[in-house]
Amino acid sequence: MNDTISAIATPHGRGGIGIIRLSGPQAASIALKLCQRDKPFTPRFAHFHHWYDDQGETIDHGLTIYFAGSNAYTGEDTVELQAHGSPMLLKALFERTLMLGCRAAEPGEFTRRAVEHGKIDLSQAEAVVACIDAATLRAAKQAQKQLDGTFGRRISQYMDDLTSVVAHVEACLDFPEDEVPELFYGQLRQRVESELITPIQQQLNSKLGERLFEGATVAIIGEPNVGKSSLLNALSGRDRAIVTDIAGTTRDTLEVDFEVHGIPIRLTDTAGLRQTDDIVEQEGVRRAKQTAETADLVIFIADASRPETWTPETHFENLHIHLKVMNKVDKTKTLDAKDFLPISIKQNQGLETLIEVMATQLGDTDLTDESALVTSSRHRAALEVSLAHIVAGLDMLGREEMIDLTAMEWRRAWSTLGEILGIGDVEFILDKVFSEFCIGK
C-alpha cells in the first residue's frame, strides 16, 4: 500500500490512444519528473506534456491528468498518461515510470486499492470485471447496477437488519424468560421472516443473474428429420446446420452462440435419436444423450405428422425435458398432443412464442427489482450460508437456554454477508447493542 504502482491500462495492440496509470503516494512527483515539470499539477485538469527518458529525449507526448487522493478511483494520488497507442512507445513510457520509482502493478491492484481505501466494496470490484466481460447489453447493464452499488446496498440493508435483531436478542439475555413476553418473540420472528428470510430466498430462487454472465446451454433433441437442425438455424438466424430429408444427416453435436432476452445461449443441435447399425451414427446418438444430460435447458422436438416421434421416453428414462415442441403443425389439420408447443419452422409460426418460453425457462421473469439479482457463485454461496444461519437462529428463538445461540447464529449470518462486501467485524454488533439499548432498563 505504500508503493507507487504503474501499469499500461489499455489492451495490448495498436490504437489511437494508450494509457499509463500510476497510483500511490509518489504518483504526482514521479509524473513531474517524467514531464520535467517544476510546477505542481492542477487536479482533474488535462496538462499537455512531453515525457522524457533518462537522457532527456522525448519518449512521447500527450495528456497528463492528476487525481488527488480521495477524489481518485483508487482513493490515493493517481496520474493517467494519455499517450499514442503504440505498443513500443507505451512500453518505453511504462519502463521509464519504473526507473523513476514505480513498481509494476499486480493484476487488479488498482481496483483492490479502491476497495482497501473504501471507494467501493468488494461486490462493486467484482462488477468491474463483469462490466468488461459482459457478453450482452443486458448483462452489461446489470453489471453497471452492481457497480453503482445497488446490490451492495441490499446486502448492507440485510446486515443492518441483522444488527438490529441481534441487539434485541442480546437485550433479552439479562432478563429471565418469564419477563420477556411471547409477543416480543412473535414480532421478532415476523420481522426476521419478512425482512431477511423471504427476500434472501427470493434472490436465491432466481438464477437469471448468473446466467446473464455465465450463459446457458440449450440442447435440441429428437428423432431424425423432426426439424432439429432447422430449429437451430431459425433460432440463431444463421444457416449453420445442414438440413436435408435424409435421416442421419447430423452425426455429431453442432453448437452455435446467440442470445435470448440478453441471456447468452450456446445452442446445440444433436444427432437424431434412433436405433442404428452405423457405428458413426451410434456415437452421434451417444453424444446427443450426453449433451442433453448436462444442458441447462432441453428442448425435445417432434414431428406433428409422425406420432412415433412424440415420446422422448423411448430414448431417455430419467431425463428432465424442460420444453416439448411440436414441429410441422402446418401439415396436419387435427393435433392432439398435450404439453407440446405447436410451431412450424417452415412457415415461421410459433417461433416468437418459443423464444419467450425459453426465456422464462431460463429464469427471465418480470422482476420489478433486478438490483437483487445474484450474479456470481460466490455471492450465492454466501447468501445460502447466511440464510442457513438465520433460519437456525430463528428455530431457537424464544427458548431461554438457546437465546445466546440465536444471537451467535445471527452474528455468523452477519459476518457471512460481510464477506460479500469485503468486510466483517463482530465488534460492530456489540457497539450497536450499547448504542440502541439501555442495558440496565
Side-chain angles (χ1 to χ4, degrees), residues 117-139:
H117 285 109
K119 297 294 291 184
I120 58 175
D121 61 45
L122 189 55
S123 70
Q124 290 173 289
E126 292 170 298
V128 173
V129 179
C131 283
I132 296 171
D133 293 341
T136 67
L137 180 59
R138 187 177 182 184

Side-chain angles (χ1 to χ4, degrees), residues 56-75:
E57 296 184 0
T58 298
I59 300 174
D60 195 7
H61 60 270
L63 298 180
T64 303
I65 306 176
Y66 167 62
F67 302 91
S70 61
N71 291 323
Y73 171 71
T74 59

